[in-house]
Amino acid sequence: MNRALETTLDRFGRVDILVNNAGVSMAKAFEEVSDEDCESDFSLKVWGAVRFIRAVIPEMRKVGGGRIINVTNLGGRTPGAASMPTSISRAAGIAITKGLSRDLAKDNILVNTVCIGLIKSGQHERRYARLKATNPDFTMEELYAQGVKARGVPLGRVGEAQEAGDVIAFLASERASYLTGIAINIDGGSSPVV
């Protein structure tokens, strides 16, 4: 983390935007989740974000403000069955977002989160590779179609990474200068909460 911050400061001389986007999808029934699973998930998703946020706050204050955008997921707002520990760590990310938005508003540091739904990603590509190993005729389109059906995505398709990127870029821009402490679903309408 210190190296990333030093590299950014060496290259750009300042920090205006932090996007916390780290994670793996670990979803199990509660009774199957070990302490090690929880510790690993929290270390990456919660403590990683906390450490980066702590590091950039002084730099953002020096330049009169900034943007912190935490990438979480829908399970942090509406956990499903067998969604532990990911839904717990993502809920923590949403809570961090809301709390920090109030703490840092006086410094013009805006803190928001995007709750990601079914978006094309490397995680899905890795899952597809594992499934294809045992079923060579299985296609990526079938995997995504299964996901759309299982999650009941009203738009009937998987989101593109660029669509999520566009929302994040908007939150990082001056056009979002009156938005802080919000969670935006990027989910094709599948979340049961607004």
Side-chain angles (χ1 to χ4, degrees), residues 27-91:
K28 301 178 184 179
F30 178 77
E31 293 173 315
E32 296 173 14
V33 178
S34 68
D35 288 355
E36 292 78 21
D37 291 336
C38 286
E39 288 172 10
S40 173
D41 203 60
F42 266 68
S43 179
L44 178 64
K45 297 173 186 170
V46 178
W47 289 119
V50 165
R51 289 179 182 118
F52 266 106
I53 291 167
R54 278 187 193 143
V56 302
I57 288 171
E59 298 302 323
M60 289 180 174
R61 283 182 175 141
K62 286 178 189 176
V63 298
R67 305 289 194 270
I68 298 171
I69 301 151
N70 296 312
V71 179
T72 59
N73 74 22
L74 299 175
R77 296 177 90 174
T78 55
S83 66
M84 308 295 166
T86 290
S87 60
I88 300 169
S89 62
R90 293 310 193 187

Side-chain angles (χ1 to χ4, degrees), residues 118-182:
L118 185 58
I119 302 288
K120 291 180 181 176
S121 71
Q123 285 182 350
H124 298 296
E125 291 170 6
R126 288 186 295 278
R127 182 171 177 233
Y128 170 69
R130 289 191 305 272
L131 292 169
K132 189 161 177 69
T134 58
N135 183 359
D137 296 328
F138 191 62
T139 67
M140 186 65 134
E141 290 74 25
E142 289 173 303
L143 175 68
Y144 283 136
Q146 288 174 359
V148 167
K149 184 176 179 181
R151 295 181 189 203
V153 179
L155 289 181
R157 66 176 178 84
V158 177
E160 298 290 336
Q162 181 177 338
E163 291 171 307
D166 288 345
V167 174
I168 293 166
F170 168 73
L171 289 172
S173 77
E174 282 303 310
R175 294 177 66 198
S177 61
Y178 199 61
L179 299 178
T180 193
I182 65 167

